[in-house]
Amino acid sequence: MDTLYFDGSCPLCAKEVRLLRRLADRGLALRDIHHLPEAHQPDRATLLRTLHLQTERGHWVTGLNATVGAWQHTRFGWLFRPLLWPGVVSVASRLYRRWADRRFDRRYCSNGTCQLPPTQAD
């Protein structure tokens, strides 16, 4: 089973995950980063900075590749595949990274210091 790690406190992320919960097959697990044990690898800061998907074989994919990978578990996966085409992937990845960095900085950083909220108990 593939596992998508997401920021449950991010309104846009939570909206996409609600949609994935409705549409995805049983091959995709969704894990809120804020409910992981402290010893989890990769660490929370890394997981919060960009989307991460761990494949059932244990490989990690991040960013745009993680988004496309998660959506492959829905009937709409074909709509996301062109984002990985040569010529498109470099631009789409750069835009994703820029968006992810800005989202992380706005949510968790101020005055040059970044601080993560405490882990939430399940």
Side-chain angles (χ1 to χ4, degrees):
M1 175 176 292
D2 291 350
T3 304
L4 182 70
Y5 293 86
F6 68 95
D7 182 353
S9 70
C10 165
L12 182 61
C13 307
K15 185 176 181 177
E16 183 175 4
V17 166
R18 279 193 303 274
L19 190 56
L20 278 168
R21 278 192 209 287
R22 274 197 357 241
L23 299 174
D25 59 31
R26 294 190 176 161
L28 181 66
L30 301 163
R31 302 277 316 265
D32 185 342
I33 297 160
H34 298 289
H35 295 278
L36 296 176
E38 288 295 326
H40 191 277
Q41 291 298 317
D43 63 89
R44 276 192 334 135
T46 301
L47 290 171
L48 287 168
R49 185 162 288 282
T50 187
L51 199 60
H52 282 69
L53 178 86
Q54 186 175 28
T55 68
E56 67 179 328
R57 291 185 173 177
H59 297 111
W60 288 95
V61 292
T62 61
L64 183 66
N65 290 320
T67 299
V68 172
W71 280 97
Q72 297 314 298
H73 288 278
T74 74
R75 65 179 184 249
F76 300 105
W78 64 273
L79 291 169
F80 291 82
R81 281 187 217 123
L83 293 171
L84 300 180
W85 288 354
V88 175
V89 68
S90 61
V91 172
S93 291
R94 205 169 24 249
L95 290 171
Y96 175 86
R97 278 192 306 274
R98 183 178 291 158
W99 175 84
D101 287 343
R102 288 186 72 205
R103 184 200 72 84
F104 182 84
D105 291 345
R106 284 183 177 174
R107 293 195 65 73
Y108 300 108
C109 304
S110 65
N111 300 326
T113 305
C114 298
Q115 185 164 356
L116 302 180
T119 302
Q120 301 169 5
D122 279 332

